[in-house]
Amino acid sequence: MILDVFVGTLVIIGAVFTLIGSIGLARLPDFYTRLHGPTKATTLGAGALIIASITHFTVSQGAVNLPEVLIVLFLFMTAPVSAHLVARAALVRDVHSVTGGSSTAGGHRRPDHQPGADEPARVDLEPSPPSGTESGPQVPR
Amino acid sequence: MSQTNASNTATPRGGLLPHPILSVILLVVWVLLHQNVRSATLVGGLLVAVSVPFFTRRFWPERPQVRRWGALIRFAPVFLWDVLVANVQVAWLIVNVWRELHPRWIVIPLDITNPHAIVTLANVISLTPGTVSSELGPDRRTLLVHSLDVPDEQAAIDFIKRRYEAPIREIFE
Amino acid sequence: MTEIAVVFGIVCVGLAMALNVYRLVAGPDAIDRVVALDTLYINAIVMLVLVGLRLDTLVFFEAALLIAMMGFVGTVAAAKYLRRGSIIE
């Protein structure tokens, strides 16, 4: 009975968080704010629901039902990675942003930058440049 | 900086087990997928756990090295708690339509240089309070972060550096 | 209790998927559609888990796991393509 309530509560919490994540995706004003809903709320919602499922099947089958843990772990590992990749792609594509910026620093591209002023920074493939260039001014590469 | 990287990460040996931790994870996943621990499953799992890291070893030139497991164990509950709190906060910001959002780009200067530590920090930032890490600076010294609702930029930077970067630095360096 | 909660959950997640489809159609940029698809596949996993609870069966587990893996690979490929115009360099 107590387990029944526990599973039911987790299902409701998970479903509500999933829904809120998608509401964020539909409602928020620009791409970068929309990204927050799916990466956080939806991932946690899925986690809560799958934990509920694990508990339910562990009790009803009398044996520990662990394989679904794999889904939770996989979702929690991939959510930040895909969010980062998508955000970087959006920065390169110059997607419209309502975000107030701080000072431009560190050679980062901003959505409000001059179009064509720089090329995509090649941060993921190349090792860092030799130490001679590091002390110089930040030149977009 | 490349020298710092070399000293912080061990180059894998050329033996049969270039990545022991990866092998263990593969074996555990294999057993979980089969949902039993019969000997046939274990033999197949061992075969996968040895052969996959061995034949793909050229894709993994470096091995992440955890220097202090104690720091990792101390950081884990803080991180999990923050994930929960962050989710409730973000959910509230999404649902509360009357409150105006103050999204901001923040540039976080990095003290850590180990690539695995930077990856960990970026992922932790993405999963915790209203922030998504968006880009690493060309010189790997800064991280561009989009935050959903930040009134005070400097406070947010200090918070991330103190609460996440310091423990991650302790773990990896 | 669980029965009602699961039906409530299915309704919520169905609504969430409808909102994802709205974002998928509305865009405006291609990258918005990638994020919408990304959320849609996570919601599909959640839906499979809920239907598994409702029907009291574990047969959907493998499908959910496969969607989780393929969805991630698909998102990464689409993001890379939109960033550089090619997937494998």
Side-chain angles (χ1 to χ4, degrees):
Chain A
M1 182 57 208
I2 294 169
L3 268 170
D4 213 34
V5 174
F6 176 70
V7 171
T9 317
L10 269 185
V11 166
I12 290 174
I13 291 174
V16 167
F17 267 100
T18 313
L19 180 58
I20 287 175
S22 294
I23 290 175
L25 181 72
R27 174 181 98 77
L28 291 176
D30 76 338
F31 171 78
Y32 303 96
T33 46
R34 263 177 236 147
L35 197 55
H36 287 272
T39 36
K40 296 197 192 66
T42 303
T43 313
L44 187 83
L49 270 165
I50 291 171
I51 290 170
S53 168
I54 292 169
T55 317
H56 174 81
F57 285 111
T58 301
V59 172
S60 73
Q61 301 199 326
V64 184
N65 180 264
L66 272 179
E68 284 181 311
V69 171
L70 287 178
I71 302 180
V72 183
L73 286 180
F74 199 77
L75 283 182
F76 267 87
M77 279 192 301
T78 56
V81 177
S82 49
H84 182 90
L85 281 170
V86 169
R88 240 178 38 176
L91 282 172
V92 171
R93 290 172 67 80
D94 217 3
V95 173
H96 166 71
S97 163
V98 297
T99 302
S102 59
S103 60
T104 3
H108 286 291
R109 275 169 285 106
R110 296 310 180 77
D112 50 5
H113 77 150
Q114 294 293 315
D118 52 5
E119 286 174 356
R122 306 181 59 182
V123 290
D124 53 344
L125 294 174
E126 306 249 332
S128 56
S131 56
T133 58
E134 275 183 20
S135 54
Q138 300 291 344
V139 184
R141 301 203 299 128
Chain B
M1 192 150 75
S2 55
Q3 275 149 10
T4 330
N5 292 349
S7 69
N8 281 336
T9 46
T11 37
R13 296 175 299 270
L16 257 184
L17 281 174
H19 298 282
I21 298 178
L22 178 65
S23 298
V24 170
I25 291 172
L26 281 172
L27 182 61
V28 169
V29 169
W30 182 268
V31 169
L32 278 179
L33 282 177
H34 276 257
Q35 309 190 24
N36 64 52
V37 265
R38 284 201 296 266
S39 50
T41 313
L42 284 177
V43 170
L46 279 176
L47 211 64
V48 169
V50 172
S51 62
V52 168
F54 182 75
F55 287 115
T56 58
R57 63 191 186 282
R58 291 174 65 188
F59 293 110
W60 319 76
E62 290 171 346
R63 193 165 70 199
Q65 274 223 320
V66 176
R67 300 268 161 173
R68 291 185 195 83
W69 288 95
L72 181 65
I73 292 165
R74 256 179 288 128
F75 180 57
V78 174
F79 167 66
L80 289 176
W81 174 248
D82 279 11
V83 169
L84 278 180
V85 171
N87 275 287
V88 175
Q89 278 174 358
V90 169
W92 175 241
L93 286 175
I94 289 173
V95 173
N96 192 345
V97 280
W98 298 278
R99 192 178 180 290
E100 207 182 325
L101 290 177
H102 301 282
R104 250 185 187 291
W105 292 103
I106 322 180
V107 174
I108 298 177
L110 293 175
D111 290 330
I112 45 181
T113 50
N114 183 320
H116 296 108
I118 295 176
V119 169
T120 313
L121 179 65
N123 284 356
V124 164
I125 286 174
S126 287
L127 279 175
T128 47
T131 45
V132 171
S133 65
S134 303
E135 196 186 54
L136 188 60
D139 56 355
R140 299 191 179 188
R141 289 286 168 79
T142 52
L143 195 63
L144 179 66
V145 169
H146 185 272
S147 41
L148 189 55
D149 191 60
V150 169
D152 183 359
E153 187 177 337
Q154 193 56 45
I157 294 175
D158 290 343
F159 179 80
I160 287 173
K161 286 189 84 73
R162 193 180 63 242
R163 199 167 169 92
Y164 305 124
E165 192 184 4
I168 286 173
R169 180 177 198 170
E170 202 184 334
I171 291 169
F172 282 99
E173 292 183 358
Chain C
M1 169 72 187
T2 316
E3 291 284 297
I4 304 165
V6 168
V7 172
F8 172 78
I10 289 176
V11 172
C12 274
V13 176
L15 213 63
M17 289 174 93
L19 286 169
N20 296 155
V21 172
Y22 160 71
R23 181 50 68 197
L24 187 64
V25 174
D29 196 89
I31 200 79
D32 285 287
R33 300 192 165 99
V34 173
V35 177
L37 269 182
D38 187 67
T39 319
L40 193 59
Y41 91 73
I42 297 177
N43 284 347
I45 296 168
V46 170
M47 189 60 115
L48 278 179
V49 170
L50 279 171
V51 172
L53 272 176
R54 180 84 184 83
L55 303 178
D56 210 6
T57 168
L58 275 170
V59 291
F60 298 119
F61 157 69
E62 266 101 2
L65 196 64
L66 278 177
I67 293 176
M69 297 190 167
M70 293 300 135
F72 173 64
V73 174
T75 306
V76 170
K80 279 213 90 156
Y81 177 72
L82 289 179
R83 177 171 152 76
R84 298 192 183 237
S86 67
I87 296 170
I88 301 168
E89 290 151 25

